[in-house]
Amino acid sequence: MKEELGVEVNIKRFLGDVEHQWESSTHHHLEINYIFEAVIGNEDAESFHSKEDHLVFLWVKLDELERYNLQPSSLIELIHNLDSISSFWKSSL
């Protein structure tokens, strides 16, 4: 969050891992995401802006997540089940 948005966060807990792959016009991409629950300080979250031109950040209501192309898409399941998840792992490989 510091690198992407320039904000400090406090890590609450580790939630799990997500492997993800996708194709672009020139490459096959593969990533492993380590997912943490974090709390942002008292800053106004809606004023955050990406520090990188190719990244866009949106604040979305939980009941509207499916309307967006959130990738990896398995994060939607994780977000909807935060209270009941002790360990999460998904793969799109």
Side-chain angles (χ1 to χ4, degrees):
M1 298 297 285
K2 181 72 171 177
E3 177 185 344
E4 306 297 351
L5 293 175
V7 297
E8 298 284 340
V9 298
N10 293 314
I11 304 297
K12 289 181 66 177
R13 63 184 171 132
F14 175 70
L15 297 171
D17 304 296
V18 176
E19 294 178 323
H20 185 56
Q21 66 178 341
W22 72 98
E23 299 287 337
S24 69
S25 59
T26 58
H27 292 86
H28 178 84
H29 302 270
L30 175 66
E31 65 184 14
I32 298 174
N33 299 275
Y34 301 104
I35 312 298
F36 295 85
E37 182 178 5
V39 176
I40 299 172
N42 294 329
E43 302 167 54
D44 180 16
E46 293 190 20
S47 68
F48 298 156
H49 299 284
S50 175
K51 296 204 172 277
E52 300 183 45
D53 292 339
H54 68 282
L55 296 176
V56 176
F57 291 91
L58 302 171
W59 295 105
V60 178
K61 294 179 181 180
L62 290 176
D63 61 349
E64 296 179 356
L65 283 174
E66 288 79 4
R67 294 176 51 197
Y68 296 88
N69 184 25
L70 177 62
Q71 294 296 316
S73 60
S74 58
L75 289 176
I76 294 173
E77 176 187 350
L78 172 64
I79 292 167
H80 282 310
N81 295 295
L82 273 178
D83 292 336
S84 62
I85 287 180
S86 61
S87 180
F88 186 82
W89 181 82
K90 291 289 181 176
S91 177
S92 65
L93 303 182

